[in-house]
Structures are given as C-alpha cells and as structure tokens.
C-alpha cells in the first residue's frame, strides 16, 4: 500500500468515526442485556429499534437460515410496515471456537482499542456504515460481526442501495485471498472507469474457488483495469463482504422459508444465496458440498429450491476500488491486528488510543478496559482485555487474557490463551478459567475418548498433559456428544469459588517442566462448552461494569 492511499483511507475512516460519535450521544439474553446497557450508557444511537433473535430450537440452520428466520420474526412484529424499514442484519454469534474470548458474550461485543467509551465490534460496524442508510431503499443489509470493511470514495459520491435484487460490496483482493472467500465474476464488456467506486454487473458468483477456477471463469482482473491504489499485485479478484437485498427480493426468500417449514440443514447466507444470482448462474453448484462442515440429507434439495427461487435475480456490485477488508475471527488474527499490523492501526487511528501521537511499525501490548497495577510486565504482541492484574504480574508474548483476575507476581507463559467465566453449578455461583495454546485447534475432534491422543494441547498430546498433571486419561470426561471429543468439550478446568483462585489454579497447569496439579477435595472439572451452557451473564456483566467504573476513576485521579 502506498503512503498516499493509506492516508486517504485513514481520513475517510476518521470522518465516519467522528460522525458515529455524534450519534452515540443520542444466547439471546446475553445480547439483549448488553444492548440494553449500551443504550443506558448512550454508547449506541438512540431512537432505533434493536432486536436480537437466536436460532430456533432443533437442527443447525446456518447464517442463511438465521437470516430468513430473523426476517420471519421481523415480519411477525411489524407486518406490512416492514416494507418501509431499512434493516441492518448482523450475524453476531456462533460458538466462536477460533476466538473463544468471544464465545460467552458474542463476537459482536468483542472489544476494539478505539473510542471512549471503548468501542466493541457493534459500534465499529455501525460507525463504518454510518453513511449508508441515507441512500438505501427499504431492504436488508447483511453483514458479519467479525469483519471490518474500510473504504474511501469521492466526496461527491455515495454508496447507493437502490436497485432491485442483490447489491454487494466488492473489494479488490489478491488472488490467494479469493480461495477462502467469495469471488465475483464481472462483466468484462463493461468499461471500467478509474474511480474509487464504480457500479458493475456480476455475471455469477464463485464460492471459495481454486486459482484455476477463477482464471477459467474470467474472475481475474488486471491492475490497469481499475484504480488499484491499495494493491501492488498485477492481477487481482473482487471478493465479497457485505450485501444488500431489496425488500421485494427478501420477501421472495421469506415466502420460500415459510413454505418449506423448519430447515433441517445449514444454509450459507453467502454461498447458497449469491451463487444463485446473475445471468450465468447454473444449478450445478448445489451438488458441490466440498466446503460443507456437515452434510445433511436435504441440503442439495434446499439449495435447489433457493436457486429456482432466485433464478434471474440480478447481482449488482459496488466495486470499492479504494477499500480494505479485515477478518478478525481467530486468536492469531486478533493478536496480529491489535498488536502488530501498522495498516489497520493507521487506518482506524488505533495508535492514538495506544498513547502515541503518530503511527508506528513495532509490536505493542494492547490493553483494553483493564486495571493494571504498578510493577506489571506486559510483553509486546499480547492482548489484555477486561482484566485485573495485581502488582508484579507478568504476561508473556503472543498471549490473550480475557476477563481474568491475575494475582500478584503470577507469570503467564508465552503463546497462552486464558479466559475466566462465571458459572452456575448445582445452585451455586462459581468461576472457571479455561486455557489453551494460541495455535490450538478447538474444532478438531476424535470419535471417542479412547482416541484422545489425537488431540493436542499446547503442542503436546492431551494424554501427555493429563499424565503430567497427575490425572488419569480414563477419568477425563467429555461433555455433550462423546462421539465428537475435542478440546472444546474436554472437562479439564476446575470450578472455583472466586475469580482469583480460579485463574491461579488453572495457571498451575501451565508451569514449565510439569507438576501434579493439586485440586481441593470435591473440585468439579468443566469444559468450555459446559461453562458456556451454565454461564452467569448477570455476574459477568456486573464484573465488567465495576471494572469500567474503577478504570474511569483511576484515569480521573
């Protein structure tokens, strides 16, 4: 990225953040509680209706099914009046197994080192899109909670969502990025103009295509085809992020949803909707299940119904040639973008919040809404959020601490993830601190407890870890479905009566050289999955509120 292009994007983003700040002054329960508190503190715009919808009970329905179910709930509430509303629909939750500090309270409430009061992803999404509603006809803007879209356009231009069908934001990206995202095939007969933004026609949409497929389908563009000030690649593709659906098209999909009844499979709001659009779309994609985590028997049939429902619907593009797309959905991405990446740091102005007058290229420790006592050692490249650190505590590099109470003098090793949760267990309130390696795969599973050697924790097999801690592999319990055993549902973590002891006891598991972990008699062990099922939301939010007050008082003193 050249310096001029970066500066332009930074200025455009700062203007949006300033406009949103003027508006700020104006698990479903977890989301509703946090939305309510934000409104009370005037952290998000007032005078707007906020709704939280969790998926219906039964089979998983994916973010596509969740989109349709949310539309159904909105129509039930507003009836025909819904046709006059402009809706921002954010896919906000999920298990967040790749960024587990967001599991308990939701990805949309992941903190960002920005603003005062501190921004979370919800505020950042609203700020980035602050200009869009003024130029949007009734319909639905669909976006994700773990992505940041930054763009700049000419002062006399606006992004307009006023066309029928779907209208998607398209970002110039390296071809390698296209293999893990959606890619648009543009009509090359349309002459591209050298502009920050241009409206283009999409012939069809490719979902996580190979490099070969992108070339074969004409999705690859040459750098001289457009105003590519943020990419140095000679060739690039346009990738997806947020899209708009006009009201009539949304109702068409909702009619199909009501007709088929409860979904028995997961529908993707991107792959399954967008691949049905454009003049060159064919039904062939409905049989491709390469990117499906778990294939249900009626998936192909449901995809085909969606295709025939949407067949012939246009897919319009807003090509944002001066834009960047950031995905912050894993522990490694979270660490990189918040502590290391100078690009996002400059574009969002994060360096100001971190205490610097200008941008810089070195690593920092990102501390958000935490009470850090004197004498603490915080290694650059780590994130500390919603924590209390007593005097002399040490945080190693590439470490994430979330919602923890770290006792005096305790040392957290490098490459560690630790997160404390308040839980209700057997009618009593307790605390569980979970820990994993930053690189650990919480999604990887084996077919039974007998195969747990296939699971790795902190770079060693789970069996080795248990032996090191003086625990019997045979005694390890897995919560939930034992035909799918993973770090996610391994009951490894002790339930303690208070936060401080919970953290220190779990920290004993990480001591170098290994030592038997001595648990108090009768201590229960819990998995992260189980802790989330019995989390005490009120206590967790009360802790954050008190911490916020203490940090504020500390600044004033």
């Amino acid at each position: 990225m050249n310096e001029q292009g970066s500066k332009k994007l930074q200025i455009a983003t700062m203007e949006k953040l300033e406009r949103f700040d003027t508006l700020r002054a104006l698990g479903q329960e977890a989301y509703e509680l946090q939305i309510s508190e934000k409104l009370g503190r005037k952290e998000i715009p007032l005078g707007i209706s906020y709704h939280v919808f969790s998926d219906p009970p039964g089979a998983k329905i994916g973010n596509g099914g969740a989109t349709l179910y949310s539309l159904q709930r909105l129509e039930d509430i507003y009836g025909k009046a819904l046709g006059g509303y402009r809706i921002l629909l954010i896919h906000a939750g999920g298990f967040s197994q790749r960024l587990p500090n967001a599991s308990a309270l939701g990805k949309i409430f992941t903190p960002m080192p920005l603003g005062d009061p501190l921004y979370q992803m919800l505020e950042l999404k609203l700020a980035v899109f602050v200009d869009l509603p003024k130029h949007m006809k009734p319909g639905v803007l669909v976006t994700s909670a773990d992505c940041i879209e930054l763009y700049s356009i000419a002062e006399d231009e606006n992004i307009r969502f006023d066309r029928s069908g779907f209208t998607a934001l398209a970002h110039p990206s390296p071809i390698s990025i296209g293999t893990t995202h959606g890619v648009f095939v543009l009509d090359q007969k349309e002459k591209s103009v050298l502009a920050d933004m241009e409206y283009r026609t999409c012939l069809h949409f490719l979902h996580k295509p190979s490099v070969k497929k992108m070339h074969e389908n004409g999705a690859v563009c040459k750098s001289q085809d457009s105003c590519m000030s943020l990419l140095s690649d000679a060739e690039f593709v346009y990738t997806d992020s947020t899209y708009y659906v006009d009201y009539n098209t949304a109702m068409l999909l909702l009619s199909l949803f009501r007709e088929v009844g409860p979904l028995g499979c997961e529908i993707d709001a991107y792959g399954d909707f967008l691949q049905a659009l454009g003049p060159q779309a064919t039904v062939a994609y409905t049989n491709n299940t390469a990117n499906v985590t778990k294939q249900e028997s009626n998936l192909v049939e449901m995809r085909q119904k969606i295709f025939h429902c949407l067949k012939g619907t246009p897919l319009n593009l807003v090509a944002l040639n001066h834009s960047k797309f950031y995905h912050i959905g894993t522990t490694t991405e979270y660490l990189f973008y918040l502590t290391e990446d100078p690009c996002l740091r400059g574009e969002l102005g994060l360096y100001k919040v971190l205490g610097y007058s200008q941008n810089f290229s070195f690593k920092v420790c990102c501390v958000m809404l935490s009470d850090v006592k004197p004498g603490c050692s915080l290694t650059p490249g780590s994130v500390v959020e919603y924590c209390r650190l007593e005097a002399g505590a040490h945080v190693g590099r590439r470490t994430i601490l979330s919602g923890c109470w770290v006792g005096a003098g305790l040392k957290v090793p490098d490459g560690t993830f630790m997160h404390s949760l308040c839980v209700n267990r057997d009618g009593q309130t307790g605390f569980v601190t979970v820990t994993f390696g930053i690189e650990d795969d919480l999604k990887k599973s084996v077919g039974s407890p007998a195969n747990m050697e296939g699971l790795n924790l902190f770079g060693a097999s789970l069996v080795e870890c248990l032996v090191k801690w003086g625990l019997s592999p045979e005694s390890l319990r897995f919560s939930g479905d034992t035909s799918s055993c993973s770090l996610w549902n391994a009951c490894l973590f002790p339930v303690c009566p208070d936060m401080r002891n919970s953290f220190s006891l779990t920290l004993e598991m990480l001591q170098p050289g290994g030592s038997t972990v001595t648990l108090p008699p009768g201590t229960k062990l819990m998995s992260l999955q189980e802790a989330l099922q019995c989390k005490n939301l009120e206590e967790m939010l009360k802790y954050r509120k008190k911490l916020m007050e203490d940090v504020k008082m500390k600044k004033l003193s």
Side-chain angles (χ1 to χ4, degrees):
M1 181 197 305
N2 62 44
E3 188 175 345
Q4 183 181 1
S6 178
K7 187 67 175 176
K8 188 177 180 181
L9 197 61
Q10 179 183 348
I11 292 171
T13 303
M14 290 300 104
E15 289 174 349
K16 294 184 183 76
L17 292 174
E18 288 171 6
R19 283 195 288 277
F20 177 72
D21 276 338
T22 63
L23 294 175
R24 288 182 95 183
L26 303 174
Q28 183 166 332
E29 184 185 6
Y31 293 80
E32 289 173 339
L33 281 170
Q34 290 175 92
I35 291 289
S36 177
E37 291 195 354
K38 283 181 177 293
L39 287 169
R41 295 192 297 263
K42 298 182 180 179
E43 293 177 0
I44 53 178
L46 306 179
I48 295 174
S49 297
Y50 294 89
H51 296 278
V52 179
F53 302 124
S54 57
D55 290 351
K60 291 183 180 180
I61 58 176
N63 56 11
T67 299
L68 299 179
Y69 178 71
S70 297
L71 286 174
Q72 182 186 61
R73 293 289 304 275
L74 287 172
E75 191 184 50
D76 290 343
I77 295 169
Y78 294 101
K80 292 182 180 179
L82 189 64
Y85 281 88
R86 293 161 295 179
I87 302 162
L88 174 62
L89 194 156
I90 306 176
H91 294 295
F95 291 138
S96 192
Q97 290 171 294
R98 296 186 297 169
L99 187 63
N101 51 311
S103 296
L105 297 177
K107 290 180 183 178
I108 195 64
F109 300 112
T110 303
M112 295 296 294
L114 186 67
D116 186 14
L118 183 73
Y119 272 48
Q120 293 176 325
M121 282 298 292
L122 174 59
E123 287 92 326
L124 186 54
K125 296 295 287 193
L126 294 176
V128 168
F129 295 151
V130 69
D131 296 328
L132 299 185
K134 291 182 291 187
H135 308 284
M136 174 178 164
K137 284 189 174 180
V140 186
L141 191 67
V142 179
T143 190
S144 174
D146 56 9
C147 298
I148 302 171
E149 304 93 338
L150 304 180
Y151 62 89
S152 69
I153 57 178
E155 288 186 10
D156 60 344
E157 288 187 314
N158 296 290
I159 296 177
R160 295 186 176 276
F161 295 115
D162 55 5
R163 303 185 182 191
S164 62
F166 284 65
T167 302
L169 302 184
H171 308 272
S173 304
I175 293 176
S176 60
I177 295 295
T179 60
T180 56
H181 290 75
V183 174
F184 300 106
V185 179
L186 277 61
D187 186 350
Q188 300 295 348
K189 294 178 183 178
E190 294 179 344
K191 187 170 179 61
S192 176
V193 295
L194 294 177
D196 290 344
M197 177 184 73
E198 51 184 328
Y199 292 92
R200 302 289 298 270
T201 301
C202 181
L203 298 178
H204 67 123
F205 176 83
L206 308 175
H207 187 54
K208 299 182 179 179
S210 65
V211 173
K212 181 181 179 183
K213 189 171 183 179
M214 283 184 261
H215 279 283
E216 289 175 347
N217 284 267
V220 179
C221 304
K222 304 292 183 183
S223 59
Q224 65 265 25
D225 290 347
S226 195
C227 176
M228 299 307 302
S229 57
L230 296 185
L231 275 185
S232 57
D233 305 58
E235 295 182 325
F236 67 94
V237 292
Y238 281 102
T239 56
D240 65 337
S241 65
T242 293
Y243 65 80
Y244 162 83
V245 191
D246 77 292
Y247 175 74
N248 290 334
T249 304
M251 290 303 101
L252 198 65
L253 278 170
L254 180 55
S255 295
L256 174 64
F257 182 69
R258 291 188 183 277
E259 176 188 320
V260 299
L263 290 177
C265 60
E266 294 190 55
I267 298 299
D268 184 6
Y270 296 87
D272 291 333
F273 290 169
L274 300 186
Q275 286 187 99
L277 308 173
Q280 292 185 4
T282 69
V283 76
Y285 78 88
T286 59
N287 291 292
N288 183 359
T289 57
N291 294 312
V292 176
T293 305
K294 182 179 180 181
Q295 183 179 348
E296 302 293 346
S297 58
N298 63 334
L299 174 62
V300 172
E301 179 188 359
M302 189 61 209
R303 281 179 167 181
Q304 290 175 350
K305 288 182 177 180
I306 292 171
F307 172 79
H308 291 295
C309 174
L310 294 176
K311 185 178 180 181
T313 300
L315 177 52
N316 313 293
L317 291 188
V318 181
L320 296 172
N321 293 320
H322 206 103
S323 67
K324 297 281 288 292
F325 173 86
Y326 294 94
H327 180 260
I328 307 183
T330 68
T331 52
T332 53
E333 289 170 341
Y334 199 53
L335 286 171
F336 175 70
Y337 287 123
L338 268 59
T339 71
E340 185 174 351
D341 180 40
C343 296
L344 183 64
R345 184 185 296 154
E347 290 152 9
L348 283 177
L350 304 183
Y351 60 89
K352 298 175 184 177
V353 183
L354 295 169
Y356 295 84
S357 59
Q358 60 185 20
N359 201 14
F360 52 90
S361 59
F362 51 86
K363 290 183 182 180
V364 295
C365 180
C366 180
V367 179
M368 296 179 286
L369 203 66
S370 296
D371 184 12
V372 181
K373 299 299 184 186
C376 290
S377 170
L378 308 179
T379 309
S382 293
V383 173
V384 177
E385 60 182 40
Y386 304 115
C387 290
R388 293 185 184 275
L389 274 66
E390 296 183 358
H394 170 79
V395 179
R397 65 182 182 86
R398 295 197 76 241
T399 287
I400 296 176
L401 295 185
S402 179
C404 299
W405 194 316
V406 185
L410 293 181
K411 301 183 184 302
V412 183
D414 296 347
T416 301
F417 173 90
M418 298 188 76
H419 176 41
S420 298
L421 303 94
C422 182
V423 298
N424 291 323
R425 178 75 182 245
D426 299 328
Q428 293 184 323
T429 298
F431 293 87
V432 176
T433 298
V434 299
T435 186
F436 306 99
I438 289 296
E439 306 293 341
D440 286 347
D441 185 357
L442 274 64
K443 285 189 167 186
K444 181 181 179 182
S445 64
V446 294
S448 73
N451 300 321
M452 72 174 73
E453 281 194 2
L455 301 176
N456 291 319
L457 180 63
F458 290 100
S461 80
L462 183 55
V463 171
E464 289 178 40
C465 293
L466 292 171
V467 171
K468 183 179 75 172
W469 299 328
L471 300 174
S472 163
E474 292 75 23
S475 66
L476 178 64
R477 182 175 62 89
F478 288 87
S479 59
D481 181 8
T482 54
S483 66
S484 179
C485 299
S486 64
L487 297 182
W488 179 256
N489 67 339
C491 297
L492 298 167
F493 311 110
V495 182
C496 299
D498 64 86
M499 277 184 81
R500 190 189 283 104
N501 284 331
S502 168
F503 183 87
S504 59
L505 192 55
T506 296
L507 186 64
E508 284 187 33
M509 300 164 66
L510 307 181
Q511 297 311 308
S515 60
T516 300
V517 179
T518 304
L519 299 176
T523 299
K524 304 288 186 182
L525 298 179
M526 198 176 270
S527 67
L528 175 53
Q529 179 197 54
E530 202 170 33
L532 292 171
Q533 290 171 349
C534 58
K535 62 190 175 186
N536 186 322
L537 296 171
E538 290 81 4
E539 285 299 319
M540 292 177 73
L541 292 175
K542 188 186 297 183
Y543 163 79
R544 286 194 180 187
K545 184 177 181 180
K546 180 65 167 65
L547 183 59
M548 187 184 302
E549 292 170 353
D550 291 350
V551 170
K552 188 175 181 179
M553 289 297 296
K554 189 175 179 180
K555 286 181 180 179
L556 295 174
S557 62

